[in-house]
Amino acid sequence: MTERTTGAAQGPSAGAQVALALVLGAGLVGGFWYMAKTSQEGAAAARPAVCRASSGTLPARYVSGTRLCEALNRPDLPALLGTPGQQAQTAWGSDGTLEGPEGADRTPTPSGTVTLATYEVELSVSYDRLRVAQFGALLGNTAEPTTFQGRPAVLYSDRTIALRIPLGGKGKAESGTGGIARHLLVAKDAKDGGGSYELVIWRRDMGVPDDAALLRVAERVLPTVPGWAG
């Protein structure tokens, strides 16, 4: 019978202790860095969105999409919409143009857009020669003629387009009818000489937009747009 003697268990060597200390130190540093980064990202996410620059360049005589976005992206926009606990999630401007008949110049149609959890809001300016009264006639019975700060205006509704994208990349994207969008179209001057400002709101949950909210936003925002005063 062979007797087997087991020695006392030995602790890690000095080198192993140093290595372990380095690993633990690196882990702590990495943990602190991750927590700091997460905190910074959380703070950034908690701040309202800032307007991204316009996707294009218009001559100086036209208001830019960025400027329209900035006029719309007010600190009190959520309260004006009736959702005071929300904030701007995304905000951007676009210096778009509308193609006219063959040989005609393109018409500048800059716009700014701000999205919140409940609402999406768009403000645009059209520099065409179409009068608001003419536009209202084209809409027929759906148009609600009115005035806004002494200028001819039209309230009307249309449907947004809903785009459904399957999760995981499986299947095809589908488009369909979305929710109701409410529009306020206002003439650029009291004589309705052509061109217009347009404010649109729609609910991202497919609910019916609040006309009172639309008008509250218009009262505060439109007078701040460059060129509004004539």
Side-chain angles (χ1 to χ4, degrees), residues 58-59 61-63 95-98 106-110 125-128:
L58 291 176
R61 64 181 180 275
Y62 302 115
V63 63
D95 290 342
T97 56
L98 182 65
R106 289 177 174 268
T107 301
T109 54
V125 181
S126 179
Y127 291 92
D128 58 21

Side-chain angles (χ1 to χ4, degrees), residues 2-216:
T2 304
E3 184 178 356
R4 185 172 179 181
T5 304
T6 304
Q10 296 181 353
S13 66
Q17 291 181 29
V18 172
L20 181 61
L22 290 174
V23 170
L24 291 175
L28 288 173
V29 171
F32 288 138
W33 174 84
Y34 176 78
M35 287 189 291
K37 182 174 183 294
T38 303
S39 177
Q40 290 174 354
E41 290 177 347
R47 292 193 295 268
V50 176
C51 291
R52 300 198 303 267
S54 304
S55 54
T57 302
L58 291 176
R61 64 181 180 275
Y62 302 115
V63 63
S64 70
T66 299
R67 186 64 190 86
L68 291 174
C69 177
E70 291 170 348
L72 193 58
N73 193 21
R74 303 164 52 99
D76 61 351
L77 178 63
L80 295 173
L81 289 168
T83 56
Q86 298 180 14
Q87 64 180 16
Q89 296 179 335
T90 59
W92 69 91
S94 174
D95 290 342
T97 56
L98 182 65
E99 188 172 357
E102 186 175 354
D105 293 335
R106 289 177 174 268
T107 301
T109 54
S111 65
T113 305
V114 177
T115 66
L116 296 86
T118 300
Y119 277 102
E120 188 158 338
V121 190
E122 182 180 270
L123 173 63
S124 61
V125 181
S126 179
Y127 291 92
D128 58 21
R129 297 180 181 177
L130 185 66
R131 294 184 292 112
V132 166
Q134 292 174 307
F135 189 87
L138 292 174
L139 290 171
N141 294 333
T142 63
E144 303 170 41
T146 183
T147 59
F148 180 82
Q149 295 190 357
R151 306 182 188 200
V154 172
L155 279 165
Y156 71 98
S157 298
D158 66 3
R159 288 277 183 176
T160 62
I161 297 175
L163 181 63
R164 300 174 179 85
I165 302 176
L167 296 176
K170 297 180 180 179
K172 296 182 179 179
E174 298 179 352
S175 62
T177 302
I180 295 174
R182 285 294 282 168
H183 300 244
L184 175 65
L185 190 73
V186 183
K188 292 193 71 178
D189 57 60
K191 295 181 179 179
D192 196 11
S196 58
Y197 299 90
E198 186 162 19
L199 183 67
V200 192
I201 66 172
W202 61 95
R203 292 181 64 101
R204 301 175 71 185
D205 59 4
M206 302 293 182
V208 179
D210 182 7
D211 271 7
L214 173 66
L215 294 173
R216 282 196 301 267

